[in-house]
Amino acid sequence: MDLLMTEEEVRFRDEVRAFLDTHLDESLKRAERLNPSFLADPNIGLQWQAKLNEQGWVAPSWPKQYGGTGWTLAERYIFDQECERAGEPHFRGASIKMIAPVLMRYGTDEQKAFYLPRILNGEDVWAQGYSEPGSGSDLASLKTKAMLNDDHYVVNGSKIWSTLAHHATRMFALVRTADTGKKQEGITFILIDLKSPGVTIRPIRSICGTHEFNQVFFDDVKVPVSDRIGEEGEGWDIAKYLLEFERGGAFAGGVLRAMLTRLHRLACEPLPDGRKMIDDPLFAARFIEIATDVDANDMLELAAMSKVQAGGNPGSVPSSTMKIERSRIRQSIAELAASILGPDALRWEEHRPLHELPEESEIDEGRKVASAVYFNSRSQSIFGGSNEIQLEIIAKTLLR
């Protein structure tokens, strides 16, 4: 692999850097520095998305015909790394990297024409409706029902762990439309307007004090048949396709590298006794080990993204492998930061979001957010399918 940039790629990198220097203001960067989650506060993320949309750079992973950039894989990688270096808010979640690929592959022309532009300009923000109470890793046991009534479905049930649903305008959801045959065969994929009568959203506050997750209740909620993706009973196959993009459909190495940079900055600060953790040989060895893992993850991502670049999907084994590695690396960084903070790593901050608190030095703010990041990182190996489930997917696929 040739890791040297061509002259064209250097020019592209400089163009990206100039744009970021001009448009990514300090308030957005501070909000991201103080964000313990894997996604930005939507109020922050949408501000940055609007600036990128004006430039045509919102969705580099999309085909150009739908509003993508048409960049090469190398340019996409450079863009990701430069955005992370600059400290951009992470806003590409359920809307851009999950429901959009499903619409492109399974949606009707009318659905694509209506929803994709609204995703790009931020008019629609999507939440995911998969897990239910009692149906997490065993997703096929879901019980939320959708009964067909003329030209619409009537939906009853609830979804849980719906990330940022309290900010979302719409939800893509798996519902049960039949109880006969294998449980996977009765599942259908639908799109729900969260402003519809009968939708109730209740917050779930996480252990680090943030409000990211929600439980969403549906009581006789009407969903037009025109908002069904695919045919009845095809939801399971569509859901598995989407999960490949959730687990491995975009670059994440830049996020990990940004976390590692913050950890290095923290390790270079003097402790109360005057020592610096970066000078400790055991700490430094562990830091280098994690940094090497981040580099290896970059290579894994590039291999998977080359498939997406060619119009395919990441594949179940690469996406599951990336899901495991990303969560492991993120937790390792958080644990090493906690070793610096000591008891402060378990500190509870009552006020959220952190970027609304009075400004402090970047180091003091880094210490404050590190405790929340530590708690938040524990969920990384659970959501999106636990690491144990990912290992099972890999084993079944490779040993079949």
Side-chain angles (χ1 to χ4, degrees):
M1 179 179 292
D2 185 2
L3 298 180
L4 296 177
M5 287 189 287
T6 65
E7 291 184 7
E8 291 78 10
E9 289 164 351
V10 170
R11 282 195 291 270
F12 174 76
R13 181 203 63 190
D14 293 343
E15 179 188 359
V16 172
R17 285 184 178 179
F19 175 83
L20 293 169
D21 289 342
T22 302
H23 294 88
L24 184 57
D25 58 64
E26 184 55 38
S27 64
L28 294 177
K29 290 191 282 189
R30 179 175 182 267
E32 183 57 31
R33 283 200 307 270
L34 292 176
N35 174 31
S37 176
F38 58 97
L39 284 176
D41 180 319
N43 295 323
I44 298 297
L46 286 172
Q47 291 180 45
W48 179 232
Q49 181 174 342
K51 294 184 178 186
L52 287 174
N53 190 47
E54 290 182 6
Q55 187 75 4
W57 289 358
V58 169
S61 62
W62 288 19
K64 193 168 185 178
Q65 68 190 91
Y66 296 121
T69 56
W71 291 339
T72 66
L73 186 62
E75 288 170 336
R76 285 178 52 195
Y77 179 78
I78 292 167
F79 179 74
D80 173 78
Q81 296 295 312
E82 290 301 321
C83 286
E84 292 304 331
R85 182 192 63 80
E88 75 155 4
H90 304 132
F91 66 92
R92 298 178 183 89
S95 302
I96 289 173
K97 79 170 194 174
M98 294 194 322
I99 187 57
V102 166
L103 287 167
M104 293 172 196
R105 175 163 177 172
Y106 294 99
T108 64
D109 290 340
E110 292 77 14
Q111 289 168 337
K112 295 174 190 176
F114 180 75
Y115 286 118
L116 292 177
R118 295 166 66 94
I119 291 173
L120 282 176
N121 64 27
E123 188 173 352
D124 276 337
V125 177
W126 290 80
Q128 185 175 24
Y130 276 22
S131 296
E132 298 181 4
S135 299
S137 295
D138 183 19
L139 184 58
S141 66
L142 63 88
K143 295 179 174 59
T144 295
K145 287 199 171 183
M147 303 297 293
L148 185 61
N149 184 3
D150 295 329
D151 61 349
H152 64 272
Y153 291 99
V154 179
V155 180
N156 285 280
S158 75
K159 297 293 179 178
I160 200 166
W161 312 120
S162 298
T163 303
L164 301 178
H166 55 302
H167 288 287
T169 58
R170 299 180 186 273
M171 171 183 281
F172 53 88
L174 297 179
V175 295
R176 186 160 298 285
T177 50
D179 291 312
T180 57
K182 292 175 60 177
K183 55 187 179 182
Q184 290 89 344
E185 294 173 355
I187 295 175
T188 300
F189 196 106
I190 62 173
L191 311 177
I192 302 174
D193 185 343
L194 292 180
K195 298 186 295 296
S196 301
V199 175
T200 303
I201 301 174
R202 295 180 184 171
I204 300 174
R205 194 164 290 278
S206 68
I207 191 172
C208 65
T210 58
H211 174 198
E212 298 172 64
F213 303 119
N214 303 271
Q215 185 168 4
V216 183
F217 297 86
F218 306 101
D219 296 296
D220 292 332
V221 175
K222 293 182 178 180
V223 177
V225 172
S226 59
D227 277 335
R228 182 187 68 211
I229 302 294
E231 300 298 324
E232 279 195 11
E234 293 183 352
W236 188 249
D237 288 337
I238 297 172
K240 289 192 296 182
Y241 179 79
L242 181 145
L243 285 172
E244 289 186 23
F245 287 88
E246 178 183 5
R247 295 164 180 163
F251 288 115
V255 177
L256 300 175
R257 205 172 296 281
M259 290 182 65
L260 202 62
T261 300
R262 290 196 292 270
L263 172 61
H264 184 267
R265 191 178 297 124
L266 191 63
C268 290
E269 282 297 303
L271 297 171
D273 61 4
R275 293 182 302 117
K276 296 179 181 180
M277 285 303 295
I278 198 64
D279 296 329
D280 182 285
L282 293 178
F283 180 95
R286 181 63 180 133
F287 182 92
I288 293 169
E289 184 179 18
I290 296 172
T292 304
D293 287 342
V294 173
D295 286 340
N297 179 75
D298 280 355
M299 298 303 102
L300 183 64
E301 289 183 351
L302 281 167
M305 291 308 100
S306 65
K307 296 181 180 179
V308 177
Q309 186 81 358
N313 48 304
S316 59
V317 170
S319 60
S320 289
T321 303
M322 284 187 283
K323 168 65 169 61
I324 292 170
E325 285 303 289
R326 291 169 178 176
S327 61
R328 183 183 64 81
I329 294 170
R330 189 179 179 100
Q331 288 175 350
S332 296
I333 294 173
E335 288 164 5
L336 203 54
S339 73
I340 301 175
L341 295 172
D344 280 347
L346 304 179
R347 180 172 56 181
W348 176 271
E349 292 290 344
E350 289 292 339
H351 303 284
R352 291 294 187 273
L354 287 173
H355 67 265
E356 295 180 357
L357 296 178
E359 289 194 33
E360 303 176 74
S361 71
E362 190 171 325
I363 289 299
D364 287 338
E365 290 183 338
R367 289 178 177 274
K368 183 171 291 186
V369 75
S371 61
V373 169
Y374 173 77
F375 284 120
N376 186 277
S377 72
R378 308 321 303 166
S379 66
Q380 296 285 321
S381 52
I382 300 173
F383 67 65
S386 70
N387 281 9
E388 290 75 14
I389 293 295
Q390 305 312 313
L391 290 170
E392 195 166 295
I393 290 171
I394 294 169
K396 283 183 176 179
T397 303
L398 295 182
L399 302 178
R400 182 177 297 160

